Amino acid sequence: MVEYEVGKADGSRIFMLSMYCMLSMSNSANWVSFAPISDQTSQYFGGIGNGWVNLLALIWSILYGPGSVLGIVWFQKFKLRDTLILGGSFTVCGALIRLIAVLLRDVLGGEGTFALVLLGQAVMAMGQPILVNLATAIASTWFPLEERDRTTTIATVFNPLGNAVGQILPAMIVFNGSDDDDSYKDVKGMNMLMLVLFVMALLPLLLTYFFFAK
């Protein structure tokens, strides 16, 4: 097992923990982003029904096992920073795929857009176990023994916090323009939601890439 050197400066430890927390939170927020707007999502994709909408979240559970295996293998071969970047890159790439899908909604049609969004969800799903399983590694790498339990708890809390953000944010951005129009064009704000979530994923990845200690 790889042994990491405990960080010395308090400010550095907190900064490293903060970057991890942001990566985990942004991934979790993207996971549940369609759940609070399931009706609008179904309408946006051409009336696919809530069963298919639920698949957008269920795919994360399906791919948790493969993502965990990939994360373990990667962590054993590379450093903590590289594994964080891998997990964050999955989130960013998946979010970008979703953003491209909704921007091309008129070209792809409802089914094509849904398929591409589902692909984006699957890519992000691979990153979730990689990030979630690194909470203890962050604590053991950057914090002394007496602080590790508390640090692990803090790191773990940001995943459900991201769930909360993912439940609140979509309902604030996406809405129906009118009550008597059931076309996908009546669903307003989907492009903006995908853009906001993409930026939320991109910023912590950039911070990790440039500032997380090697």
Side-chain angles (χ1 to χ4, degrees):
M1 183 175 180
V2 179
E3 293 291 339
Y4 290 94
E5 192 176 318
V6 176
K8 295 181 179 180
D10 289 339
S12 295
R13 290 201 294 262
I14 295 173
F15 190 38
M16 301 305 152
L17 175 62
S18 298
M19 284 185 280
Y20 168 78
C21 290
M22 288 187 291
L23 286 170
S24 180
M25 185 174 69
S26 65
N27 181 276
S28 185
N30 275 277
W31 173 19
V32 298
S33 55
F34 294 106
I37 52 169
S38 58
D39 291 340
Q40 291 94 333
T41 300
S42 175
Q43 180 179 339
Y44 184 81
F45 292 127
I48 58 176
N50 287 338
W52 286 105
V53 175
N54 292 337
L55 181 60
L56 294 172
L58 182 61
I59 192 69
W60 295 66
S61 298
I62 296 173
L63 293 176
Y64 193 91
S68 295
V69 172
L70 175 61
I72 292 171
V73 172
W74 193 272
F75 183 70
Q76 290 176 341
K77 187 174 182 180
F78 300 99
K79 294 182 178 180
L80 176 60
R81 173 182 176 273
D82 297 324
T83 310
L84 284 172
I85 291 174
L86 176 66
S89 296
F90 273 122
T91 307
V92 170
C93 290
L96 180 60
I97 291 172
R98 297 193 316 179
L99 177 59
I100 293 173
V102 298
L103 291 176
L104 297 178
R105 172 63 176 82
D106 290 336
V107 177
L108 298 173
E111 293 182 358
T113 304
F114 175 79
L116 200 55
V117 168
L118 182 61
L119 173 62
Q121 291 287 103
V123 172
M124 287 189 286
M126 291 292 291
Q128 185 190 53
I130 296 174
L131 294 171
V132 169
N133 295 333
L134 288 177
T136 55
I138 290 289
S140 62
T141 300
W142 284 97
F143 291 82
L145 184 61
E146 64 272 14
E147 296 181 13
R148 289 177 185 175
D149 288 343
R150 180 176 58 190
T151 302
T152 302
T153 300
I154 294 173
T156 304
V157 161
F158 273 81
N159 190 262
L161 182 59
N163 274 324
V165 173
Q167 292 285 348
I168 296 171
L169 192 62
M172 296 174 60
I173 298 177
V174 178
F175 61 93
N176 288 94
S178 62
D179 295 332
D180 56 354
D181 187 354
D182 60 356
S183 71
Y184 82 90
K185 291 185 178 180
D186 185 54
V187 178
K188 309 297 183 182
M190 189 66 77
N191 291 6
M192 179 58 66
L193 176 62
M194 295 298 102
L195 176 60
V196 169
L197 290 170
F198 168 70
V199 173
M200 283 180 58
L202 179 62
L203 290 179
L205 177 62
L206 291 176
L207 285 173
T208 302
Y209 182 82
F210 288 108
F211 298 110
F212 200 93
K214 297 182 179 179

